[in-house]
Amino acid sequence: MDTEHGLSVLLASTPATSTADMIAQIEWFKEDLGGYVLGNASPAHDTIFDTISQSAQNIGA
């Protein structure tokens, strides 16, 4: 559990150096933190993260 938490902190706190890195971080937040961060305020949190991910891909294109 400590290792998993440490890796989560490392992934969340390491600056992305490429579009692929940014997309990976967005996907991680979507899977692990989406419901927790956004809670019940937005049941469409997956859509929000998908839009952010698509925007990151467009920036890198």
Side-chain angles (χ1 to χ4, degrees), residues 6 8-9 16 19-20 24 26 30 34-35 39-41 45 47 55-56 59-61:
S8 294
V9 170
T19 303
I26 293 166
K30 175 182 171 182
N40 293 328
H45 74 271
T47 303
S55 296
I59 291 169

Side-chain angles (χ1 to χ4, degrees), residues 3-46:
T3 301
E4 182 179 341
H5 176 71
L7 290 173
S8 294
V9 170
L10 184 63
L11 179 61
S13 62
T14 302
T17 58
S18 70
T19 303
D21 293 348
M22 188 183 333
I23 292 168
Q25 286 180 322
I26 293 166
E27 290 300 316
W28 177 81
F29 282 114
K30 175 182 171 182
E31 292 301 316
D32 290 346
L33 297 176
Y36 177 75
V37 171
L38 298 175
N40 293 328
S42 177
H45 74 271
D46 282 348

